[in-house]
Amino acid sequence: VNSLGETAERLIQSHPESAEDLQEKCTELNQAWSSLGKRANQRKDKLGDSHDLQRFLSDFRDLMSWINGIRGLVSSDELAKDVTGAEALLERHQ
């Protein structure tokens, strides 16, 4: 943007008859550049929010999977019939 301003100043000095038009175009370009920067920042914020949501949903799915696995182990009616079976159940529990 600085080089744009410098170029506009050189053009205004070398073509004073077009100074008003050049200044108007320079102002338009500066406004468009500023608007583009604002829109880019808004898009960046939206992408960041979307990333956070996707990470949350992924963590949620992982947690729900783990909970369902633990629930299945806890609600199991399986009982050991011998010492080896009891040790296996105890190991799985730990």
Side-chain angles (χ1 to χ4, degrees):
V1 176
N2 281 344
S3 63
L4 175 64
E6 292 168 4
T7 302
E9 279 300 316
R10 281 196 308 271
L11 286 171
I12 288 170
Q13 288 175 6
S14 64
H15 298 28
E17 69 281 0
S18 302
E20 189 176 319
D21 290 338
L22 289 168
Q23 190 60 46
E24 185 179 319
K25 289 297 181 189
C26 188
T27 301
E28 287 177 26
L29 286 172
N30 284 331
Q31 289 172 345
W33 182 257
S34 176
S35 175
L36 180 64
K38 288 177 186 175
R39 287 188 292 164
N41 285 333
Q42 289 172 346
R43 181 66 177 147
K44 180 182 175 184
D45 291 343
K46 286 182 181 180
L47 286 172
D49 291 345
S50 179
H51 177 263
D52 291 344
L53 175 62
Q54 293 303 317
R55 187 174 55 212
F56 171 81
L57 292 175
S58 176
D59 291 348
F60 171 77
R61 283 189 296 272
D62 291 345
L63 184 58
M64 289 305 295
S65 177
W66 178 81
I67 287 172
N68 288 332
I70 294 299
R71 183 182 294 153
L73 292 174
V74 170
S75 65
S76 175
D77 292 336
E78 184 180 344
L79 295 175
K81 298 188 183 351
D82 58 14
V83 173
T84 306
E87 288 174 346
L89 284 175
L90 183 59
E91 186 176 320
R92 191 170 77 187
H93 173 73
Q94 290 175 349

